[in-house]
Amino acid sequence: MVKKIVEQSVFKLLLPEGLLSYFDMVEVKELCRIKDKHTFYELHLEEQNVLHSGYNPVEYESKGFTEITVQDFPLRGKDVFLVIRRRRWRHKLDPKQIVKNDYNFIAEGSRLTKELADFLKGTGRYT
């Protein structure tokens, strides 16, 4: 139990603020690209089974995930990618009605976390 608490506090320091309030860390991988032998980290996060306000949770059911990979700040000289699995919620009586929780962790029109995009804009490397 103590190990899990320590891991959570370390990840809270490294990840965008508030991310672990809605997502659980399910896996961490250190990988290597074959072509250039560059190592990087993949942090896999899965959305908690909670439908946010505005929708009646009795009327909806979790039905699968959508997945997106976004780049975050490097760690110890290695790229960091967040593989984020977001839940899709389907209305029980109208299966064509699908909703997803809204989050502002990803910079609009990019595959970067909002914090990394803001940092790069400040350095003139991202516009």
Side-chain angles (χ1 to χ4, degrees):
M1 180 69 164
V2 171
K3 182 179 177 186
K4 182 102 171 148
I5 293 170
V6 170
E7 287 176 3
Q8 285 291 94
S9 11
V10 169
F11 285 125
K12 277 187 177 187
L13 294 172
L14 301 175
L15 296 172
E17 188 175 339
L19 188 69
L20 291 179
S21 298
Y22 305 106
F23 293 85
D24 293 321
M25 181 72 63
V26 292
E27 188 173 15
V28 177
K29 295 179 181 178
E30 184 175 10
L31 302 169
C32 182
R33 285 194 298 252
I34 295 173
K35 127 179 130 170
D36 61 3
K37 306 251 189 277
H38 180 77
T39 58
F40 61 95
Y41 296 110
E42 263 189 8
L43 284 66
H44 292 255
L45 299 124
E46 188 172 284
E47 186 176 13
Q48 296 167 359
N49 194 7
V50 177
L51 182 61
H52 291 229
S53 63
Y55 299 99
N56 183 349
V58 174
E59 296 176 0
Y60 289 85
E61 59 188 345
S62 177
K63 278 296 185 183
F65 292 91
T66 59
E67 187 174 281
I68 185 169
T69 300
V70 295
Q71 189 170 1
D72 198 13
F73 282 97
L75 182 61
R76 296 285 185 199
K78 296 179 183 178
D79 292 336
V80 173
F81 295 94
L82 308 178
V83 181
I84 301 172
R85 292 185 57 179
R86 292 180 52 202
R87 290 182 184 275
R88 291 180 310 137
W89 298 88
R90 184 176 73 179
H91 196 278
K92 291 178 181 176
L93 300 177
D94 182 7
K96 292 181 182 178
Q97 186 179 346
I98 303 285
V99 297
K100 294 183 213 167
N101 293 322
D102 289 327
Y103 301 103
N104 61 353
F105 302 113
I106 300 167
E108 191 174 324
S110 76
R111 295 286 180 161
L112 304 172
T113 60
K114 192 171 190 169
E115 292 172 351
L116 179 59
D118 290 344
F119 171 79
L120 292 176
K121 281 180 186 176
T123 65
R125 293 178 51 196
Y126 176 75
T127 56

